[in-house]
Amino acid sequence: MHDSPSRLELLRFARRVVVQQATASLAQIDGWIAVEERAGGGVPPRRRDAAASA
């Protein structure tokens, strides 16, 4: 009997792993964004006249 996983099963497993890792990365980045928003961080918006003189 053939007990090793098929190529399709391996590809589906790989996809689940990638989705899990991407979800964790997005959650981490969303956390960093929330921290910056609470701290009032970020780059102040450029003034229109400053863009014209650059």
Side-chain angles (χ1 to χ4, degrees), residues 8 20 22 30 40:
L8 179 58
Q20 183 179 6
D30 287 345

Side-chain angles (χ1 to χ4, degrees), residues 9-32:
E9 290 169 324
L10 290 173
L11 288 169
R12 286 181 174 156
F13 174 77
R15 185 185 188 284
R16 286 194 306 271
V17 169
V18 169
V19 168
Q20 183 179 6
Q21 290 173 342
T23 301
S25 293
L26 285 171
Q28 184 177 37
I29 292 169
D30 287 345
W32 293 338

Side-chain angles (χ1 to χ4, degrees), residues 32-46:
W32 293 338
I33 290 170
V35 167
E36 288 298 315
E37 288 175 341
R38 284 193 301 270
V43 178
R46 287 180 68 175

Side-chain angles (χ1 to χ4, degrees), residues 39-50:
V43 178
R46 287 180 68 175
R47 296 186 332 224
R48 288 182 161 222
D49 57 305

